[in-house]
Amino acid sequence: AVVSTQSGHYGRGLHCYTLRVSFLATFELHIFVRIMTLLATILKRGHSGGREVTNAVKEVDELEREKEEALRPLTSGIMETGMDESGDYKRQVSNESLKDPQVQALSQQLKEWINDVLTDDHIVVKNLCEDLSDGQVLSALIESLAGAKIEHKEVAQSVASQKAKLTEVLNQINYHLQVADDGIKWNVDNIHNKYLVSVLHLLVALARHYGIQRRLPSFVKINVLQITKATQQTETISEQITGDEEREHYNFAARQQERDVFDTLFDSAPDKLNAVKGSLMAFANKQLSKIDKSCNNIEEDFANGVNLVIMMSLAEGYYVPLYSFSMEPEAYDHKLHNVTLALNLMQEAGIPRPKCTAESIVSKDLKSTLRVLYSIYSKYKHLAK
């Protein structure tokens, strides 16, 4: 409720008193009654009791501060970390979790990681929730990490344009992370609303997928106040943000350091590289010749994923519908989709995931391309006889 009195000059040039009375069910009733009593005093003596009114205003201000302090545990999450208002609930981070050293350490390490990745872009993130909310930083981040191309690059000003930008960026991120729908713990509204839990889930997923030199804190949990919209009933739930990050960090480092035959080939026997390339090209052409196709350049002819998809379909004896991939991809995203599909088909056929990424194939990385072709050859070399 807002009550205003305008009644000339009171004291030091104060021309109007605006008293705001707001309360929630959790606020003590007697405080509300005292405020209403003071309002009545102001309205009754507004033209004659300047000093009394001034004192009353001060007392009301003090009560407002008292009320805000009483409600701080419920509102701090909104002010500092946004809110999740999806579904039947409203969720906000508890004040205790905001002060948790583990949560603060995780946020700081992720912020430093983003700043390291985006050094060449001259982007400095100071507040995770605030700076990621419009999609601009996330766009630069996924472009740098995955080589993705985001067409919608201009700075978005309106809420609608910011959400449109975020939608495009998150679609790209979800595609690169290859997370199942039920494993996605973020969405456009939550990121735009600066909801800390969703922001941390998203960044931890990106850091794990693309590797982070820092070891993130393990078993970080955030307590969330969940309010049922229909009844306003409040309960506290716990959100697990990280797991055994020491193991995650070790596993990623081990995968990166693990050398294979192609590392040895490139480092110690480069003179044999052309022979390996020739053998794998001959195998690929033997398969592709079944549909009157061929390849001449090992880096170029597999970068768009088409020949890889065709080779898998021929080797496994099934037909890949044309609507599921692009036969003549021009855009980077279409090429990446094709290569990702081929890698997924390889996994479904029981071929161990080669030591490469879809992005490295599209980027025409020779070592990555040889790894993929060799993995297919190892599984289906009997077909070349």
Side-chain angles (χ1 to χ4, degrees):
V2 178
V3 180
S4 300
T5 64
Q6 296 184 349
S7 50
H9 184 74
Y10 291 127
R12 300 177 182 178
L14 184 61
H15 291 282
C16 72
Y17 299 106
T18 303
L19 304 178
R20 293 173 176 83
V21 181
S22 61
F23 62 97
L24 297 174
T26 55
F27 190 56
E28 295 292 343
L29 181 60
H30 73 275
I31 297 179
F32 173 67
V33 172
R34 286 165 63 195
I35 292 178
M36 294 304 295
T37 301
L38 288 170
L39 283 173
T41 300
I42 292 173
L43 293 174
K44 182 178 180 180
R45 303 182 181 181
H47 291 277
S48 58
R51 180 174 296 179
E52 291 183 25
V53 171
T54 299
N55 290 338
V57 170
K58 290 180 178 179
E59 188 172 352
V60 169
D61 288 341
E62 183 61 33
L63 289 174
E64 287 285 346
R65 284 191 290 272
E66 183 181 345
K67 179 193 69 179
E68 289 173 3
E69 185 64 30
L71 295 177
R72 190 175 302 279
L74 287 178
T75 59
S76 59
I78 299 175
M79 292 186 290
E80 299 185 45
T81 66
M83 177 181 282
D84 170 17
E85 297 193 62
S86 59
D88 298 327
Y89 304 97
K90 295 180 181 179
R91 299 180 181 90
Q92 54 201 54
V93 177
S94 71
N95 198 42
E96 292 77 10
S97 288
L98 291 177
K99 298 176 182 178
D100 186 339
Q102 286 284 83
V103 174
Q104 293 179 349
L106 176 62
S107 299
Q108 181 64 26
Q109 290 199 31
L110 289 170
K111 182 169 62 177
E112 291 174 358
W113 172 63
I114 294 173
N115 289 336
D116 286 347
V117 173
L118 299 180
T119 297
D120 293 341
D121 296 292
H122 308 291
I123 294 175
V124 178
V125 171
K126 295 183 178 180
N127 182 297
L128 286 180
C129 294
E130 184 70 32
D131 295 346
L132 271 60
S133 63
D134 65 356
Q136 199 69 19
V137 173
L138 284 174
S139 175
L141 185 62
I142 194 60
E143 284 188 342
S144 179
L145 291 173
K149 304 297 180 184
I150 308 293
E151 300 298 330
H152 192 73
K153 295 182 71 69
E154 66 273 9
V155 177
Q157 298 292 342
S158 68
V159 171
S161 59
Q162 286 178 358
K163 286 190 173 183
K165 168 82 172 182
L166 260 178
T167 299
E168 184 176 355
V169 172
L170 291 182
N171 284 342
Q172 281 278 355
I173 290 175
N174 295 341
Y175 178 77
H176 287 286
L177 292 180
Q178 294 293 300
V179 182
D181 289 343
D182 57 357
I184 297 176
K185 300 179 180 180
W186 53 85
N187 59 45
V188 171
D189 288 331
N190 286 349
I191 300 299
H192 190 264
N193 289 345
K194 307 166 190 175
Y195 182 50
L196 179 64
V197 172
S198 294
V199 171
L200 291 181
H201 274 310
L202 173 60
L203 293 178
V204 168
L206 283 168
R208 283 176 176 171
H209 186 79
Y210 290 104
I212 180 171
Q213 298 302 317
R214 299 169 177 81
R215 185 175 300 167
L216 300 177
S218 295
F219 306 112
V220 176
K221 291 183 179 180
I222 290 182
N223 289 329
V224 175
L225 299 175
Q226 179 171 279
I227 305 170
T228 304
K229 292 179 181 178
T231 64
Q232 294 300 301
Q233 182 177 358
T234 302
E235 62 177 327
T236 300
I237 60 175
S238 181
E239 279 273 358
Q240 187 82 42
I241 306 298
T242 65
D244 188 346
E245 296 307 311
E246 184 171 356
R247 181 184 294 274
E248 289 279 349
H249 184 80
Y250 173 81
N251 289 342
F252 182 84
R255 289 195 300 271
Q256 293 300 104
Q257 294 173 7
E258 189 178 74
R259 292 177 59 81
D260 62 9
V261 293
F262 290 99
D263 291 315
T264 303
L265 177 66
F266 274 71
D267 295 343
S268 305
D271 54 308
K272 298 180 180 178
L273 181 59
N274 285 334
V276 173
K277 288 170 62 176
S279 297
L280 292 176
M281 283 282 286
F283 169 75
N285 278 322
K286 177 97 175 188
Q287 306 310 306
L288 294 173
S289 66
K290 297 174 183 178
I291 58 168
D292 296 325
K293 283 181 68 70
S294 64
C295 54
N296 302 306
N297 186 304
I298 203 163
E299 293 103 322
E300 295 284 343
D301 293 344
F302 296 95
N304 65 14
V306 174
N307 287 332
L308 293 174
V309 172
I310 292 174
M311 286 178 65
M312 285 305 304
S313 68
L314 291 171
E316 285 294 310
Y318 53 66
Y319 172 74
V320 179
L322 293 179
Y323 62 77
S324 63
F325 72 108
S326 174
M327 280 294 292
E328 297 181 351
E330 295 293 338
Y332 176 90
D333 292 347
H334 295 162
K335 296 175 183 179
L336 187 65
H337 173 80
N338 285 355
V339 174
T340 301
L341 173 61
L343 292 176
N344 289 339
L345 293 176
M346 290 169 63
Q347 283 189 296
E348 290 175 6
I351 301 176
R353 178 92 180 198
K355 185 184 171 185
C356 69
T357 64
E359 291 84 3
S360 64
I361 303 296
V362 177
S363 299
K364 305 175 184 177
D365 179 71
L366 176 58
K367 192 185 293 187
S368 296
T369 304
L370 290 175
R371 285 186 174 116
V372 171
L373 291 175
Y374 182 74
S375 296
I376 298 174
Y377 168 80
S378 298
K379 173 77 172 180
Y380 304 108
K381 57 189 174 184
H382 61 281
L383 298 177
K385 296 179 180 179

